[in-house]
Amino acid sequence: RKEVEQDPGPFNVPEGATVAFNCTYSNSASQSFFWYRQDCRKEPKLLMSVYSSGNEDGRFTAQLNRASQYISLLIRDSKLSDSATYLCVVKPGSARQLTFGSGTQLTVLP
Amino acid sequence: DAGVIQSPRHEVTEMGQEVTLRCKPISGHDYLFWYRQTMMRGLELLIYFNNNVPIDDSGMPEDRFSAKMPNASFSTLKIQPSEPRDSAVYFCASSLHRGMETQYFGPGTRLLVL
């Protein structure tokens, strides 16, 4: 079983739609959680951290459910520029390194 | 401020040849990571350094791969001899000790081994 699992998609949604991605992780000792974004043929970039209480950054909302070991990302009022691959990232316990999911591909259509 | 710099951006080589990838981290960052990304396996951590010292190289696929960090501003990843299955995008990333979850990635090197 992969340490971090995501639905690869692709998700094709019209502009203005709301879309949600889920991610599950296997290591219950994981301490930190993030969403990174990767545009086509570009490097990954941090989108947002995910806190236990949930957090929001404009149109983006991240949630963490430790009991079920899953993380979600909600994008409201999606824009064409949101088209990218979204990577779920977990930092297990005391480890220094990050573990990346394989990503969920989103295409926002005009 | 310059981000992480990688060179070359693209490399095409023949099986058996030596390949050297280079990385300059963001100035002041004390962690450096080397990743490999393929369609099949996603983004995999190969090795990471802290203050120029290799900390975990368990992700290095085999002895053909080696990495060095001779100083705080330069690192290399070498593949010798290269094989077609090494074809991938290789990313270098750096971070600060504090807040190291924010890793800043370089633009990557696209390697094709024929």
Side-chain angles (χ1 to χ4, degrees):
Chain A
R1 182 186 173 188
K2 290 183 179 179
E3 291 185 59
V4 180
E5 297 212 48
Q6 296 182 249
D7 182 343
F11 285 65
N12 298 318
V13 302
E15 267 188 293
T18 296
V19 61
F21 308 135
N22 290 327
C23 161
T24 58
Y25 59 95
S26 60
N27 187 341
S28 59
S30 297
Q31 295 292 327
S32 305
F33 310 89
F34 315 90
W35 285 100
Y36 272 65
R37 169 192 169 132
Q38 185 173 22
D39 292 317
C40 186
R41 299 180 73 82
K42 298 287 189 179
E43 69 274 21
K45 293 182 180 179
L46 178 66
L47 177 66
M48 59 195 301
S49 300
V50 186
Y51 303 119
S52 296
S53 55
N55 48 299
E56 190 174 306
D57 182 2
R59 297 181 293 107
F60 297 82
T61 300
Q63 297 277 355
L64 168 64
N65 184 320
R66 285 188 182 273
S68 302
Q69 294 181 208
Y70 86 77
I71 307 150
S72 65
L73 177 68
L74 183 77
I75 305 175
R76 291 182 300 278
D77 188 24
S78 52
K79 313 290 185 190
L80 296 176
S81 58
D82 294 334
S83 297
T85 295
Y86 290 83
L87 302 165
C88 177
V89 184
V90 172
K91 181 171 172 290
S94 60
R96 295 293 190 180
Q97 61 267 41
L98 303 177
T99 301
F100 286 77
S102 55
T104 298
Q105 185 180 343
L106 171 67
T107 301
V108 180
L109 305 169
Chain B
D1 187 21
V4 175
I5 299 171
Q6 290 187 247
S7 65
R9 296 290 304 275
H10 302 270
E11 177 82 24
V12 180
T13 190
E14 292 187 344
M15 183 174 65
Q17 296 297 306
E18 178 179 296
V19 174
T20 299
L21 311 181
R22 297 173 178 79
C23 174
K24 177 179 169 54
I26 294 172
S27 177
H29 282 193
D30 47 8
Y31 281 87
L32 184 140
F33 307 82
W34 280 102
Y35 290 90
R36 177 173 68 177
Q37 187 174 39
T38 61
M39 288 292 292
M40 289 296 294
R41 301 172 69 90
L43 197 61
E44 302 174 283
L45 177 66
L46 300 177
I47 184 171
Y48 77 95
F49 296 83
N50 176 218
N51 292 322
N52 315 337
V53 176
I55 302 301
D56 185 348
D57 66 353
S58 58
M60 296 285 262
E62 48 199 273
D63 292 345
R64 296 184 298 107
F65 286 70
S66 62
K68 295 182 180 179
M69 193 166 184
N71 57 62
S73 59
F74 183 66
S75 177
T76 59
L77 178 68
K78 187 175 293 187
I79 309 172
Q80 167 63 19
S82 58
E83 297 183 2
R85 59 193 168 121
D86 301 330
S87 298
V89 181
Y90 290 81
F91 288 106
C92 175
S94 69
S95 70
L96 287 168
H97 175 74
R98 286 182 181 275
M100 65 165 296
E101 295 85 359
T102 305
Q103 295 186 11
Y104 296 86
F105 283 74
T109 296
R110 295 185 176 275
L111 173 65
L112 178 61
V113 183
L114 302 173

